[in-house]
Amino acid sequence: MKKKVALIFGITGQDGAYLSKFLLKKNYIVYGVKRRSSIINTHRIDDIYKDINSKSNFILFYGDLTDTSSIYNLIKKTRPNEVYNLAAQSHVQVSFEVPEYSAEVNSLGALRILEAIKNLNFETKVKFYQAGSSEMFGRTKDKFQNEKTSFYPASPYGVSKCFAHWITINYREAYNIFACNGILFNHESPIRGETFVTRKIIQGLIRIKNGNQKKLFLGNLYSKRDWGHAKDYVEAMWKMLQQKKPGDYVIATGKTFTIKDFVNRAAKKIGFKIKWVGKGINEKAINIENSKILIECKKRYFRPVEVEFLKGNAQKAKKLLKWSPKITLDNLIDEMIDHELENLS
Ligand code: NAP
Ligand code: G4F
């Protein structure tokens, strides 16, 4: 049987790496789009090249979501059955500093891919996955967010993802493209970017434990996030594209925790006994064993507007995709700690 072909934008990112491995196991040919950078940026997928069985089905090309011709040429050249748009300026706080660039990549990038799929008009329909985000719910007051919850984005990133979401629906309805939006809640892993809060906390605490860092500086400790594992979430992306009809799906665990809860769990597992003192920007975590400050809050890590509360309801995915998360928050934290310790040794 002819192998299916997937083209992944954002292959060098966290989800790109997990999705590549997932699809290669399913016997796909995986083409990935990486952007040019001044240092090698493929560390998350380098292990695929070391695996002799995967190597020949895994090919990378240069391209960029800000470059229409590269997108068009790559889709034309690779003739994919499935296109996954995982590429983005994905950091919410950074999007306040580079709002125009964030919109250029996250909003217009999705449009450029859809335009290429529409104009190339291959005989075999190309299926399209758009990486949407729970950030689109932003300042919602709903206690659980599902596919019917109204968007109220609270950052240039969130707004840019709303455009991508709606343009995906628009191209599905206007041009009958098999296009799906995943509305994914936060998902983490040992290869999560180092400036996202979960990885930052675990890396920081382990460095302090080993005497390589003095303190960890954080921002808002009281926002709540619904954290899952990237490995579970890429499976949901694939499942969306295997359905008879295209649709939009919330992917979440349905559980929510504060940043402080996450710190407490991670600190305990790493072997710290901590107590919290002070309030607001002056709140600190103290290491009980030596009375030293372990964590402090810093103004620069607070956002101009915060998404205070995210908790997803993934009942639709459970029912139609037969998807539910397998990895718990505690298992995720254990895996992230083990990975960090392994890296150090
Ligand atoms: P990530 O680790 O930040 O990866 C983003 C990827 O996009 C990287 O490969 C990056 O390349 C690439 N990229 C950035 N700008 C690009 C451009 N102009 N042209 C081409 N590629 C570009 O993000 P992730 O956590 O894997 O998330 C994947 C997608 O899901 C993103 O769209 C994100 O916004 C969305 N999402 C993530 C979460 C989450 O919790 N992880 C939740 C909801 C939605 P470099 O490696 O060169 O930087
Ligand atoms: O880890 P974060 O930066 O993730 P955030 O903002 O929720 O965005 C991530 O998840 C979205 C899905 O909802 C994705 F679409 C997006 O691409 C990205 O993957 O921050 C989580 C929370 C925030 O409330 C933030 O204010 O942690 C708080 N926080 C507190 N101190 C911090 C810090 N966040 C970061 N990055 N760094 C801090 O020092």
Side-chain angles (χ1 to χ4, degrees), residues 237-341:
M237 296 175 188
W238 173 77
K239 284 191 160 191
M240 288 177 212
L241 299 196
Q242 313 315 309
Q243 301 307 298
K244 284 212 173 87
K245 286 185 185 160
D248 308 321
Y249 297 87
V250 159
I251 300 298
T253 70
K255 298 192 175 85
T256 191
F257 300 90
T258 62
I259 310 306
K260 197 168 167 179
D261 291 333
F262 190 95
V263 170
N264 289 335
R265 280 167 192 249
K268 195 170 171 201
K269 285 173 189 285
I270 292 166
F272 284 112
K273 281 191 182 131
I274 61 172
K275 70 170 179 194
W276 292 93
V277 296
K279 276 205 171 126
I281 190 85
N282 296 317
E283 187 159 9
K284 296 174 179 60
I286 311 285
N287 182 349
I288 293 174
E289 272 159 11
N290 58 13
S291 301
K292 282 189 180 165
I293 298 171
L294 200 62
I295 298 171
E296 267 186 63
C297 292
K298 222 180 201 168
K299 208 166 169 235
R300 62 177 289 206
Y301 295 118
F302 285 79
R303 296 166 185 189
V305 188
E306 179 62 276
V307 172
E308 298 290 351
F309 178 83
L310 290 174
K311 190 177 184 185
N313 173 351
Q315 280 310 307
K316 181 180 173 187
K318 191 172 179 191
K319 194 168 163 217
L320 300 183
L321 305 181
K322 313 270 177 279
W323 178 89
S324 46
K326 299 182 191 89
I327 305 168
T328 63
L329 182 65
D330 273 315
N331 294 153
L332 167 70
I333 297 175
D334 288 341
E335 199 190 323
M336 291 176 80
I337 292 173
D338 288 349
H339 174 87
E340 225 61 64
L341 292 172

Side-chain angles (χ1 to χ4, degrees), residues 92-136:
V92 173
Q93 183 153 21
V94 173
S95 78
F96 287 100
E97 277 149 54
V98 288
E100 187 180 332
Y101 176 73
S102 302
E104 179 68 49
V105 176
N106 303 357
S107 305
L108 295 184
L111 172 62
R112 290 181 184 113
I113 298 175
L114 285 162
E115 262 295 288
I117 292 173
K118 182 194 95 186
N119 291 333
L120 283 162
N121 196 19
F122 293 140
E123 228 167 80
T124 312
K125 263 195 166 190
V126 179
K127 295 180 175 181
F128 175 69
Y129 173 83
Q130 167 56 27
S133 165
S134 49
E135 273 287 316
M136 297 187 294

Side-chain angles (χ1 to χ4, degrees), residues 90-93 133-135 157 184-186 188 192 195-198 200 217-221 223 225 227 259 301 303 306-307 310:
S90 71
H91 204 284
V92 173
Q93 183 153 21
S133 165
S134 49
E135 273 287 316
Y157 170 85
L184 272 54
F185 282 61
N186 298 52
E188 319 291 309
R192 180 63 146 147
T195 59
F196 294 99
V197 79
T198 56
K200 181 174 165 181
F217 293 98
L218 293 175
N220 184 3
L221 300 170
S223 52
R225 289 294 180 273
W227 282 296
I259 310 306
Y301 295 118
R303 296 166 185 189
E306 179 62 276
V307 172
L310 290 174

Side-chain angles (χ1 to χ4, degrees), residues 12-15 35 41 64-65 86 88 90 157 161 184 187:
T12 55
Q14 170 189 257
D15 292 3
R35 57 183 180 156
N41 61 353
D64 199 299
L65 278 200
L86 311 181
S90 71
Y157 170 85
K161 285 285 182 179
L184 272 54
H187 46 280

